[in-house]
Amino acid sequence: MSVKGKIKEAAGYAKEEAYENGDSPESQRKAQEGRDLRNEGRIEDGKAPKTGKPGTGN
């Protein structure tokens, strides 16, 4: 696993968690950016991207 991939995954997770409960379109956009960054880090580390709906534990 690469350090860069782990950092991207952690940063994406933090951004998603910070904005996922917001109602504004801006909050939803930032939460999606966090999911995208998290998945980019996972792919760099050879893991499958998370495709489940946020908040479902999948």
Side-chain angles (χ1 to χ4, degrees), residues 3 5 9 12-13 19-21 25-26 30 34 36-42 44 46-47 50 52 55-58:
V3 173
E9 186 175 352
Y13 175 80
Y19 291 104
E20 75 177 343
N21 292 323
E26 182 70 14
K30 287 183 179 183
D36 294 342
L37 184 61
R38 181 187 64 191
N39 284 332
E40 185 178 322
R42 289 180 62 83
E44 282 184 16
K47 298 178 190 174
K50 296 228 178 209
T56 61
N58 292 331

Side-chain angles (χ1 to χ4, degrees), residues 3-53:
V3 173
K4 187 177 175 184
K6 284 186 177 215
I7 292 170
K8 281 184 177 181
E9 186 175 352
Y13 175 80
K15 188 171 186 176
E16 178 185 0
E17 288 296 315
Y19 291 104
E20 75 177 343
N21 292 323
D23 293 330
S24 71
E26 182 70 14
S27 290
Q28 295 303 312
R29 185 183 62 78
K30 287 183 179 183
Q32 184 60 49
E33 287 174 2
R35 284 190 280 287
D36 294 342
L37 184 61
R38 181 187 64 191
N39 284 332
E40 185 178 322
R42 289 180 62 83
I43 290 169
E44 282 184 16
D45 285 343
K47 298 178 190 174
K50 296 228 178 209
T51 57
K53 194 170 187 176

